[in-house]
Amino acid sequence: MDEQSPIAATLAQVGPRLRRVRDQRGVALSALAEATGISKSTLSRLESGQRRPSLELLLPIAQAHQVPLDELIGAPEVGDPRIRVRPRVHKGRTVIPLSAQTGGVQAWKSIIPANQNQPEPVTHEGYEWLYVLSGRLRLVLADHDLILGPGEAAEFDTRLPHWFGPAEDSPVEILNLFGPQGERMHIRAKPHSQKKPPA
């Protein structure tokens, strides 16, 4: 790591900050060692900068002092958190990327026009999550034919043949997450073949 970088500078200040917080509270090194389960020598090396700080060490210290972790670390201020996104059209669908990083889990918002309603199942590596914002979405997944309304979500392995698009003659707006792995959501949808009896 570049010793002139903001991260390196922040890490270099963790030791003195730990010592200052402990002194302000009038806590002896031995008492802190007893409270955290971290040896006195390790705490001493942390405070002197001879030991690199890690979460395994800093979390118990923050808990013992009852201070937020970022107060111990003195993390640098984050930059502007807003993501500048530009909608693009991909295969007739308007796609708005919501994640700035490349690789890993990708998030985007998709607006699928009403005329994109003919199933053309595809397969590829990965895992996908869908959340319907507005309209009604038809999801064809292997042998399943499902309809999802606003507020409903689905997840599936994209190695299975799949397609999704409008269930009606109007656009559907969805959020997508796609990646190799991640926290699973629960499918909440009804089979397309189920129809309510007339009132």
Side-chain angles (χ1 to χ4, degrees):
M1 184 184 298
D2 181 1
E3 298 208 356
Q4 302 303 315
S5 75
I7 294 174
T10 298
L11 288 174
Q13 291 302 311
V14 170
R17 192 180 298 272
L18 291 173
R19 176 65 186 267
R20 189 164 54 250
V21 170
R22 184 172 63 79
D23 286 346
Q24 287 170 351
R25 283 160 174 71
V27 177
L29 208 54
S30 56
L32 184 59
E34 187 177 336
T36 60
I38 301 169
S39 72
K40 188 175 171 182
S41 63
T42 298
L43 289 171
S44 178
R45 282 184 287 138
L46 265 176
E47 290 186 358
S48 65
Q50 296 173 355
R51 175 73 184 259
R52 193 176 183 91
S54 68
L55 279 177
E56 289 80 8
L57 296 172
L58 294 175
L59 286 172
I61 295 172
Q63 186 175 17
H65 288 319
Q66 296 186 338
V67 296
L69 183 61
D70 59 355
E71 187 174 321
L72 288 183
I73 298 172
E77 291 184 14
V78 297
D80 188 341
R82 292 173 294 181
I83 299 173
R84 280 13 183 230
V85 295
R86 291 185 180 173
R88 63 178 188 264
V89 177
H90 179 69
K91 296 183 179 178
R93 301 178 176 203
T94 302
V95 179
I96 304 164
L98 301 177
S99 49
Q101 79 277 8
T102 57
V105 175
Q106 298 292 307
W108 66 91
K109 177 175 158 183
S110 301
I111 302 167
I112 309 171
N115 63 1
Q116 297 246 330
N117 58 7
Q118 294 303 312
E120 296 177 8
V122 296
T123 61
H124 51 86
E125 290 294 321
Y127 211 80
E128 187 151 357
W129 300 260
L130 305 173
Y131 179 85
V132 181
L133 294 169
S134 66
R136 287 169 60 79
L137 180 80
R138 181 181 176 194
L139 170 62
V140 177
L141 177 64
D143 296 330
H144 300 282
D145 196 338
L146 309 167
I147 301 294
L148 288 81
E152 290 189 304
E155 60 167 352
F156 54 91
D157 186 329
T158 56
R159 291 174 298 182
L160 294 172
H162 63 280
W163 172 90
F164 50 87
E168 299 171 342
D169 294 331
S170 57
V172 63
E173 189 174 0
I174 62 174
L175 289 178
N176 306 67
L177 289 177
F178 173 77
Q181 58 187 354
E183 185 177 348
R184 295 170 65 95
M185 295 166 64
H186 297 287
I187 189 163
R188 294 173 53 222
K190 297 175 183 175
H192 180 57
S193 58
Q194 287 184 352
K195 294 186 177 179
K196 293 183 179 179

